[in-house]
Amino acid sequence: MKKRNPFRSFTLLILILVLLVSGCSNSRSESTSGDNLKGKTVKVLLSAGGIGQFNAWKARSKAFTEKTGINIEFIETPYDNLLEDITSDGIASGGTYDLVVHLDTMGSSITSFLEPLDEYVARDHFNTDRWPAPILDLSTHDGKLYSLPVRAHVQMLFYRKDIFKKLGLTAPTTWKELDEVSKVISDKTDLAGIVPYYGAGNNAQNLPMWTSYLWSNGGDIFDDELKPAFNSPEGIEATKRYIDLLVKEKVAPPGSVTFGEQDSRTFFKQGKAAMWLGWWWVYSEFNDKEASAKDVAGNVGFASVPGWEGKGTQANIATFPLAMMKASKNKEAAWEVLKWIAEPEEELDIVMKTVKNESPSAEQSTVITQTENMRNEELNELTDGFYNVAADNFENARALPKMKEWPRIADIISGAISKMATGEPVEPSLDDAAKRVERLLDKAGYYN
Amino acid sequence: MNQKLFKFGLIAPAFILIAATTFYPLMKSFWISLHDWDLKTSAEMGPFIGFDNYIRAFSDSQFWNSVKATLIFAASTVVLTLILSIFVAILLSKDKKYLSYLRAVLIIPFAMSPALIGYSWRFMLNPDYGLFDKIIGFLFPPLSDVVWLGTSTTAMAALISVVVWIWLPFMSLMFISGLMGMPSEVFEAAKMDGASSFKTLIHVTLPMLKPIILIASILMTMFTLKAFDPVVTMTRGGPGDSTEVLNFFIYKTGFRYFDMGYSSALGYILALITIVFVIIYMRKLVKGDDWN
């Protein structure tokens, strides 16, 4: 009988162990290798509406697939159904979607259906400092990062340069100047001075303009104890001023009482108003000959959101981040797609091609979320410093509260604003809304 | 025995299908209405709370606001639709060839999608470029500045008008078939007795139409109580919450606030309100052998 070589047996044992350990160890590290992700399909839920940035992702995804072998299927749903779709899939743990875009204020309501990204970020040394802190904060809930803020908006004031030039006006820097300028335009032209959007029921779209009045006057939605504070003297004064654009000054068109953001944007694009205050992404649309009236396209300028006299300015921000579903069956591939969409070069290239008019109209987007890109010299030269102004606003901007009850609170305040725009008195309407919000938060246990 | 089993066997597939698609969801939603289930915090149903969700509704000012809006909307819509559809039916129920074409054309608004109708009317009522707004302004200059969806009263009026416009053809056709099926001898006898057209309408036509009026009322009440599409597409419950009918409130509670227990309870309250209306109709309108 042949005697066994102990060294050989030991080496064989070690080899088997190594193979076993490497075979059973973290399947994630294995699956991160490009080969294993080839052929996987990542389903991305987007909101419908022909958004240029999303169209650019779709167009560029072919190159990504060629490079990585990962397929991307983009699925669109109307914005109003977005939350329902995410929630339905989340409850069912169906894995219908791997990545989902959503409005930041929806974030608190859906975190239980989302995959925290901190582990992926740490593992791949993914730099999240590329985004300004206020933007990144909207993707963070209870200290965990749930999404990447690949689409973000800051409020800006847009105005008709040709009309302002004709009347010898300059862009307003305070609300008082905005009232004065609006009055001159309304008196001397057929245009409305400004076109706000007071309508209720559009996912509370009438709130951001209101909060820019409220915050700039030193008011707030809640106090430190989360009690409603929007009916404070500052809140009442700010709300009156916001509503008076329509009710007292009559510089806003009568239809603005029913307008959602889209209605008012359309009104501005038709050339019927001289100013519009809202999210910055519309800048390219306003100046696009295919999207706006002949007189409007090429004649729209931008400025920071006006401020309260002697108190400063306060713009809003909103993000539309991309998150990974907890029930996703392709998490590693989804993470690769997320990283690709968040690449600074991709973001900058989409916008550069837009401002140089090198991309098709449907794929044009002016949305930049990353600080370095916003401060890019060439981009600012090409856009008369648009992104430097935006970057300043982003860094100082505020966002609506992040809390699970926010959709209900937003509806209460939004409904009150809509009513006040029909002529209901401001103070009692705000008091009533404040009482309802307090009751709601009390019931939810915020004051225990 | 075998024959009996065979019969049950034949019924079983339909019974199972109905049980799975109707009874089970009904029972499940009732069970949910007895629980505190906030979908934002958990995908699992919360603790059992008995009838607390139902009690909560009665102390909720939003609920009462939506009940008020629902009743105004439903009552106005049902009454207007019935009156106008009887009027249209009387005009179109003659046995003339050209009227048969008109009767066919009449169904067009009913054949359109309610959501599409709502969006179209919202567009047509736009104060700046709306076609209907321009026509009204041209015909009645004092009304040219009215923002139809801009005040509580006009928004509700616009909503009611549009829903009447949607249902008028269907109801008219119901009455037309009723009128055309009436025996001509009765009208001839009334004429020979010297009854005027108006008296014939009040004392002959309407009493004979009673069974159809009853069915039309029940159907219209159910349709208007569950109205959703026109509200979402035209007013979205606004201005403020003036047109927030109960069904829209239930949708918001369930699918915007994810308060599933409360939303289910509200759904059952709406079903109860509908049943109460149906019972009232039956008691007030069914007398003797009207059903026969």
Side-chain angles (χ1 to χ4, degrees), chain B residues 32-180:
Chain B
I32 291 171
S33 77
L34 304 177
H35 289 76
D36 181 14
W37 185 14
D38 185 350
L39 203 55
K40 298 190 296 289
T41 50
S42 168
E44 301 297 321
M45 200 152 60
F48 181 82
I49 53 165
F51 286 93
D52 278 9
N53 280 324
Y54 293 87
I55 296 163
R56 176 181 162 192
F58 293 98
S59 59
D60 183 350
S61 59
Q62 277 299 98
F63 167 75
W64 286 113
N65 172 71
S66 65
V67 169
K68 189 179 142 199
T70 308
L71 292 180
I72 293 170
F73 170 70
S76 314
T77 309
V78 172
V79 171
L80 270 173
T81 310
L82 290 183
I83 293 172
L84 290 174
S85 55
I86 291 172
F87 181 70
V88 170
I90 290 169
L91 287 177
L92 299 183
S93 60
K94 307 281 183 297
D95 200 10
K96 302 270 195 254
K97 204 176 176 188
Y98 70 92
L99 287 181
S100 63
Y101 290 112
L102 265 180
R103 287 195 289 268
V105 170
L106 193 69
I107 200 72
I108 289 174
F110 188 70
M112 288 165 69
S113 145
L116 186 66
I117 291 171
Y119 279 122
S120 305
W121 274 99
R122 184 177 165 79
F123 200 77
M124 288 195 286
L125 290 169
N126 185 296
D128 299 298
Y129 46 82
L131 177 71
F132 187 77
D133 190 78
K134 291 273 180 285
I135 293 171
I136 290 280
F138 178 72
L139 295 175
F140 309 101
L143 298 178
S144 61
D145 290 335
V146 174
V147 181
W148 292 100
L149 301 177
T151 68
S152 307
T153 318
T154 53
M156 182 59 94
L159 197 60
I160 291 166
S161 309
V162 170
V163 177
V164 169
W165 185 82
I166 294 171
W167 285 102
L168 188 66
F170 181 73
M171 291 296 149
S172 300
L173 287 178
M174 272 180 74
F175 287 118
I176 287 170
S177 63
L179 285 170
M180 292 183 85

Side-chain angles (χ1 to χ4, degrees), chain A residues 80-81 83-84 87 90-91 108-113 200-204 253-255 257-260 263 266-267 270 272 404-405 407-408 410-411 415-416 418-419 422 436 439 443, chain B residues 37-43 56 59 61-62 65 119 122 126-129 145 147-152 232 235-242 248 251-253 255-259 262:
Chain A
D80 286 346
N81 297 1
L83 189 56
E84 281 169 48
T87 309
I91 296 163
S108 308
S109 314
I110 56 170
T111 47
S112 53
F113 312 130
N202 300 289
N203 272 324
V257 67
T258 64
F259 283 176
D263 302 311
T266 305
F267 192 89
Q270 289 169 336
K272 292 181 174 177
K404 285 187 165 64
E405 283 69 23
R408 192 168 262 178
D411 274 357
S418 162
K419 262 188 182 170
T422 67
R436 286 171 57 195
R439 263 203 307 270
K443 200 172 169 296
Chain B
W37 185 14
D38 185 350
L39 203 55
K40 298 190 296 289
T41 50
S42 168
R56 176 181 162 192
S59 59
S61 59
Q62 277 299 98
N65 172 71
Y119 279 122
R122 184 177 165 79
N126 185 296
D128 299 298
Y129 46 82
D145 290 335
V147 181
W148 292 100
L149 301 177
T151 68
S152 307
V232 175
T235 65
R236 297 183 183 105
D241 48 14
S242 57
F248 187 63
Y251 157 77
K252 272 171 66 176
T253 309
F255 299 106
R256 246 180 84 68
Y257 311 147
F258 299 112
D259 197 343
Y262 188 40

